[in-house]
Amino acid sequence: MSNHIEGFEVPLHRALTEPILMGGAPRALAIVNGTVAAALGLGLQMWLAGIVLGLVGHSLAVFAAKRDPDFVPILARHLRQKGWLSC
């Protein structure tokens, strides 16, 4: 016995269900991190700080995305909402 009704199944491509990542980090966060690192390195000519910020920021984003690929919207919602029992 199968658990589906005949005629009501649709093939679903894997790309529609997986999060969009760039180098293992969420796409929006990777773009923002790269922009800030490039602005620091190129704009302010702090080359070492830009490279270090880019590498550390991307590494942290990849680490967090391995645990939960949707951590960016969850973190944004957490920061936006007030605590339930806080004074």
Side-chain angles (χ1 to χ4, degrees):
M1 285 256 142
S2 61
N3 292 335
H4 65 277
I5 301 171
E6 189 65 35
F8 286 97
E9 65 181 50
V10 177
L12 186 62
H13 197 274
R14 212 173 100 196
L16 295 173
T17 61
E18 291 181 354
I20 300 173
L21 303 175
M22 286 181 68
R27 184 175 64 110
L29 187 59
I31 291 171
V32 168
N33 184 36
T35 303
V36 170
L40 190 64
L42 297 173
L44 297 177
Q45 296 193 1
M46 298 174 67
W47 303 102
L48 186 60
I51 292 171
V52 169
L53 178 72
L55 290 175
V56 169
H58 191 77
S59 298
L60 289 174
V62 169
F63 175 74
K66 282 185 181 181
R67 291 189 51 113
D68 183 12
D70 293 325
F71 80 93
V72 175
I74 293 171
L75 180 64
R77 185 175 53 222
H78 169 73
L79 294 174
R80 188 176 59 241
Q81 292 178 347
K82 294 189 185 259
W84 179 256
L85 295 176
S86 63
C87 297

